[in-house]
Amino acid sequence: MAITAIYRSALAAAGLGLMAAACADNREAVELPEPASGHSVSVETVVDGLEHPWGLAFLPGGDVLVTERTGQLRLIRDGALVDAPVSGVPEVLALSQGGLLDVALAPDFEETREVYLSFASGTAQSNNTALYRARYEDGALLDGEVIWTSQMDKTGGAHFGARIAFMGDGTLLLTLGDGFEFREEAQNLANHFGAIVRLNRDGSPASGNPLAGEDGALADIWTYGHRNVQGIAIDPETGIVWAHEHGPRGGDELNIIEGGQNYGWPIVTSGLDYSGARISPFTEHGDDYTAPVREWLPNSIAPSGLAIYRGEAFPNWGGDLLIGALAGQALHRVVIADGEAVAEEMLLADEGRRIRDVRIGPDGLVYVLTDHANGALLRLSPTD
């Protein structure tokens, strides 16, 4: 049976159609207590003048690479933005949410100089998320090649996913979105909609992917049933893979990512469609779908960027998750205990800026990118 038919059959079994009755938004807000032991924080601007920055990576020696969604890779040196963009960047589809997206260094960067870029490729009528690998040498990407392209071939400029994270075994995870208009396909293992893939560094499917043996499944899929994952990070102490994804109207999720799992979108969700209609009557994940650790209800914070704090500058934040919020215009610190979210603090809420990415610097300080036409790299330091 086609995946769309399966989805509609599941809804019909509950006596509801795909666009179940639009109703008053009576979902309850899920509030967590504010942590009792945080830090007072000072915020300074490292650089501004970035055009919709999306991702950043710290180079050995202190330089910083920053992607701009419009297609440029920028270099920050000695606290200043270098005028000339880094050369050798692939051509991107800068359309709506698409463009040049994440940047990550290979774990052995100091030996190989390998840099990975994710980006939207193609045209408005036919596009995908792609992965590019090149060698970085002082302001230039050399010997670059596209090593992987998603099998989505979607229309429009929404929901590319595109965050990159390297696992301890040297393989990498790349997150993807459901293309917005193609949400039912997030349950279809024959394409990459709504998936997280696990790849070797040459773009080939990594061995041991648990879904590779299923009939018709793509060999590189690690997990599926996601909406639009724009934050992923691996805890260096526990090895736990954390990711969050956008809900529609509410229902943003924070998840622990485990290979082979189905995270339920769009069959099970607490979010509403933008019309106010229920996307699905099912809000309980049961045994078939992996439940989130945290949901944001009734409103979406639009999470983007995720870092796990393991540093010395903020001793009270050890193991906490730092999550950027676009719609929420804040940095969320989520306290985790035994795999559960137990407390939450909002930082930078008085800044009034969309937070696109968050990373922990080599100095143990927190760095965030603001998503604006005149975006900035900010640095957070403790004041106590």
Side-chain angles (χ1 to χ4, degrees), residues 322-347:
L322 300 176
I323 297 171
L326 296 166
Q329 297 189 352
L331 180 66
H332 291 244
R333 178 172 73 95
V334 179
V335 179
I336 301 295
D338 298 323
E340 299 292 331
V342 298
E344 188 165 345
E345 178 185 17
M346 290 178 61
L347 303 163

Side-chain angles (χ1 to χ4, degrees), residues 42 67 79 85 87 129 145-146 171 206 232 240 343 348 352-353:
S42 67
T67 59
S87 61
T129 302
E145 60 177 332
V146 177
T171 63
I232 189 167
I240 293 174
L348 306 184
R353 299 199 244 189

Side-chain angles (χ1 to χ4, degrees), residues 131-163:
L131 188 65
Y132 184 81
R133 181 180 64 177
R135 180 168 51 86
Y136 176 80
E137 295 292 348
D138 196 24
L141 295 181
L142 306 175
D143 304 323
E145 60 177 332
V146 177
I147 60 171
W148 185 88
T149 302
S150 66
Q151 295 185 35
M152 288 156 57
D153 195 30
K154 68 181 188 62
T155 58
H159 292 194
F160 292 91
R163 290 292 180 192

Side-chain angles (χ1 to χ4, degrees), residues 62-84:
D63 290 353
V64 183
L65 293 175
V66 178
T67 59
E68 293 178 318
R69 184 164 45 79
T70 46
Q72 297 74 235
L73 180 62
R74 306 301 301 272
L75 180 65
I76 298 171
R77 174 169 290 164
D78 298 327
L81 187 63
V82 175
D83 289 338

